[in-house]
């Protein structure tokens, strides 16, 4: 019985990734997102990332690969995830959970920066508020979503949607591949 479950999980994951990769619009969106981020970083800006749960883990993974190291040595790039638990609990207590990311963006985001907003549904209220705050700050926004893209699709400068209506773990599996590809492309576009 375990064999069938394991095989089914890997087969489904491969199918979701293949569907995403076979859509030329998705490939073009990833390239546009990387270009937008590379231009911001080259111009002295930074990338702020946010998401909930596993998407926060992806947001943190993205930021640490840029500020730390990906595959090869290169200069550190300014990226930060909105993951400070003291900020999140303070803001949630005083303003509500919907504002934990928007307050972070208001405090640290500037014109010329980019927000990487991650939501597997594309409709997480606190991520949507962060997108709105980023726009008010003059930032550009890359949305990483799933399902149909939700509300975020119309709000982002570049929207990358893993169109899968099943469980969000399959969307997140493709998200991490997209994140690694974005980092590789950013380094290439910045000639690092």
């Amino acid at each position: 019985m375990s064999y069938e479950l394991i095989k089914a999980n890997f087969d489904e994951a491969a199918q979701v990734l293949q569907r995403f990769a076979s859509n030329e619009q998705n490939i073009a969106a990833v390239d546009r997102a990387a270009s937008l981020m590379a231009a911001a970083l080259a111009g002295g800006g930074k990338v702020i990332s946010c998401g909930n749960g596993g998407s926060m883990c992806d947001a943190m993974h993205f930021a640490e690969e840029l500020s730390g190291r990906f595959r090869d040595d290169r200069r550190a790039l300014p990226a930060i995830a909105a993951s400070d638990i003291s900020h999140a609990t303070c803001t949630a207590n005083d303003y509500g959970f919907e504002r934990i990311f928007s307050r972070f963006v208001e405090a640290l985001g500037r014109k010329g920066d980019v927000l990487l907003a991650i939501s597997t549904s594309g409709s997480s209220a606190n991520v949507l508020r962060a997108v709105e705050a980023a726009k008010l700050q003059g930032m550009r926004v890359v949305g990483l979503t799933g399902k149909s893209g939700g509300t975020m699709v119309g709000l982002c400068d570049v929207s990358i949607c893993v169109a899968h209506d099943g469980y969000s773990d399959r969307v997140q599996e493709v998200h991490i591949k997209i994140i690694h590809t974005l980092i590789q492309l950013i380094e290439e576009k910045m000639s690092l």
Side-chain angles (χ1 to χ4, degrees):
M1 178 102 166
S2 293
Y3 175 85
E4 288 82 14
L5 176 65
I6 294 166
K7 183 82 167 70
N9 268 298
F10 283 108
D11 287 345
E12 183 183 38
Q15 290 166 9
V16 174
L17 178 59
Q18 182 56 40
R19 270 197 312 272
F20 179 85
S22 66
N23 183 325
E24 292 297 320
Q25 291 179 342
N26 292 335
I27 304 304
V30 172
D31 189 53
R32 282 195 315 276
S35 293
L36 196 126
M37 292 175 178
L41 293 166
K46 65 185 164 298
V47 181
I48 298 174
S49 53
C50 67
N52 293 297
S55 294
M56 174 53 81
C57 294
D58 288 342
M60 292 167 63
H61 189 136
F62 176 77
E64 59 85 4
E65 297 276 25
L66 287 175
S67 63
R69 181 179 189 267
F70 182 50
R71 291 182 175 177
D72 299 310
D73 290 331
R74 49 120 168 104
R75 71 179 176 90
L77 297 172
I80 185 169
S83 58
D84 181 335
I85 193 64
S86 62
H87 165 83
T89 55
C90 169
T91 305
N93 187 58
D94 293 343
Y95 295 101
F97 190 70
E98 287 186 7
R99 296 195 52 196
I100 63 169
F101 300 138
S102 63
R103 292 289 289 181
F104 192 93
V105 170
E106 287 173 28
L108 299 177
R110 299 291 178 264
K111 185 175 183 173
D113 292 344
V114 175
L115 173 69
L116 175 61
I118 309 172
S119 170
T120 57
S121 68
S123 298
S124 301
N126 57 359
V127 177
L128 291 171
R129 294 287 293 262
V131 170
E132 292 168 1
K135 290 296 191 173
L136 289 173
Q137 297 288 89
M139 296 170 64
R140 307 293 294 275
V141 178
V142 172
L144 197 50
T145 66
K147 301 191 184 299
S148 66
T151 307
M152 273 176 50
V153 170
L155 302 176
C156 298
D157 295 287
V158 180
S159 181
I160 304 168
C161 180
V162 179
H164 177 68
D165 289 323
Y167 292 108
S168 62
D169 56 317
R170 293 290 172 251
V171 173
Q172 290 170 325
E173 290 161 358
V174 179
H175 279 183
I176 198 61
K177 185 65 200 155
I178 293 165
I179 284 168
H180 285 151
T181 303
L182 285 170
I183 295 161
Q184 191 173 6
L185 286 169
I186 290 166
E187 290 181 349
E188 180 184 285
K189 290 172 185 293
M190 295 182 70
S191 301
L192 299 175

